Amino acid sequence: MRLVAAGLASRLKFTLDEIEDLKIAVDELASYVIGTQGREGTLEIRFAILENGLEVHGEGHLTAHTKLRTELSEFSRVILDGVADSATLEQQDGVPMFDLLKKRA
């Protein structure tokens, strides 16, 4: 997922620093969905190309309904505030999801 995000951002003329920031943000948000030990199921990622950036949406389709924490830790929030233009994490009808926006300079 990080590799796909980086490749797409590269083609969209993101700087190397912006690409690294995007990879960090995607990794941080995805880890909330899949967990540190992994979870059974799939993680669906969709990318939307914007005029000035990239939007990433992730949804976890997990086999077991696990109540996930939808509030980012203070440390994660600091990281995401530094590398993304916006980032949210939520759970709707048992489906954990995230949205991420990264703009080009």
Side-chain angles (χ1 to χ4, degrees):
M1 175 177 57
R2 289 170 42 106
L3 199 55
V4 172
L8 185 54
S10 175
R11 287 181 175 90
L12 295 172
K13 307 291 189 221
F14 278 63
T15 67
L16 288 177
D17 286 339
E18 291 167 338
I19 292 170
E20 287 304 313
D21 287 350
L22 177 64
K23 287 169 37 180
I24 290 167
V26 165
D27 191 49
E28 190 69 26
L29 288 166
S31 70
Y32 269 84
V33 175
I34 62 173
T36 57
Q37 301 298 317
R39 293 189 174 96
E40 294 257 346
T42 60
L43 177 59
E44 177 184 335
I45 305 293
R46 291 189 307 253
F47 297 92
I49 299 170
L50 307 175
E51 185 176 324
N52 64 341
L54 188 60
E55 195 173 68
V56 184
H57 176 79
E59 288 186 17
H61 301 283
L62 309 175
T63 55
H65 283 299
T66 306
K67 180 70 175 160
L68 302 177
R69 195 173 81 224
T70 57
E71 292 181 19
L72 295 166
S73 70
E74 185 176 334
F75 183 68
S76 291
R77 179 50 57 198
V78 168
I79 290 171
L80 289 167
D81 285 347
V83 297
D85 292 286
S86 71
T88 60
L89 179 67
E90 62 184 318
Q91 190 163 352
Q92 293 180 359
D93 299 324
V95 178
M97 55 187 66
F98 65 84
D99 286 296
L100 166 67
L101 173 63
K102 180 65 181 169
K103 296 179 181 175
R104 285 190 308 263

